[in-house]
Amino acid sequence: LVATADTDAFETGEYAMTLAVGEAAPEPVPRVSLRERFAVVEPSVEFTDSSVGDDPLLSVTADTNLAPGGSVIVRVEAEEPNGGISQVLNCVATVDADGTITCAFDLQNPASDFDIEVTAQRDDAVIGGPVEYN
């Protein structure tokens, strides 16, 4: 089976790909082609709830355009305002079928005692945040 693929660029990040079975294919193979437009977008994460309570457990939720089953690192930096305890915690989150991610962090003291900054990273690049909690 012989197939060719051509890609055409349109607007920024938009492309069209054509797959075609050419004349060099054996005779019983039908001569068909398929053309499909698609867009390439930068990965992103948008945090959906930045509320902090008096519980030491901090739950971070976000929406992402990453494919379900993909992973992202959620990083929490928590510092007491007067220079006391400082924590950096990471969680590897898997993207759910609906495009959400969730991570839970145990800060060991009430989350409301900290200034908290949350980021999301993938392949050593920040794709969400930083977002301040509290």
Side-chain angles (χ1 to χ4, degrees), residues 73-77 88-91 105 117-121:
I73 297 172
V74 178
R75 181 182 187 99
V76 166
E77 296 181 27
V88 176
L89 304 167
N90 293 308
C91 168
F105 299 91
E117 188 174 274
V118 180
T119 57
Q121 300 176 26

Side-chain angles (χ1 to χ4, degrees), residues 1-50:
L1 178 64
V2 175
T4 59
D6 295 316
T7 305
D8 299 319
F10 293 94
E11 297 178 29
T12 303
E14 288 190 19
Y15 302 90
M17 178 173 277
T18 303
L19 299 172
V21 176
E23 295 300 319
E27 188 56 42
V29 176
R31 305 304 187 254
V32 295
S33 67
L34 167 69
R35 183 171 177 83
E36 188 69 33
R37 286 183 78 152
F38 62 94
V40 177
V41 295
E42 293 295 320
S44 67
V45 171
E46 183 177 331
F47 296 101
T48 55
D49 181 11
S50 59

Side-chain angles (χ1 to χ4, degrees), residues 26-119:
E27 188 56 42
V29 176
R31 305 304 187 254
V32 295
S33 67
L34 167 69
R35 183 171 177 83
E36 188 69 33
R37 286 183 78 152
F38 62 94
V40 177
V41 295
E42 293 295 320
S44 67
V45 171
E46 183 177 331
F47 296 101
T48 55
D49 181 11
S50 59
S51 62
V52 175
D54 290 331
D55 192 327
L57 295 177
L58 173 68
S59 180
V60 174
T61 57
D63 293 326
T64 182
N65 64 353
L66 297 173
S71 62
V72 63
I73 297 172
V74 178
R75 181 182 187 99
V76 166
E77 296 181 27
E79 295 183 16
E80 285 185 324
N82 297 325
I85 298 172
S86 177
Q87 300 178 62
V88 176
L89 304 167
N90 293 308
C91 168
V92 177
T94 301
V95 180
D96 290 336
D98 64 355
T100 60
I101 57 174
T102 304
C103 278
F105 299 91
D106 185 354
L107 301 177
Q108 299 179 354
N109 286 336
S112 58
D113 290 352
F114 296 98
D115 292 330
I116 299 170
E117 188 174 274
V118 180
T119 57

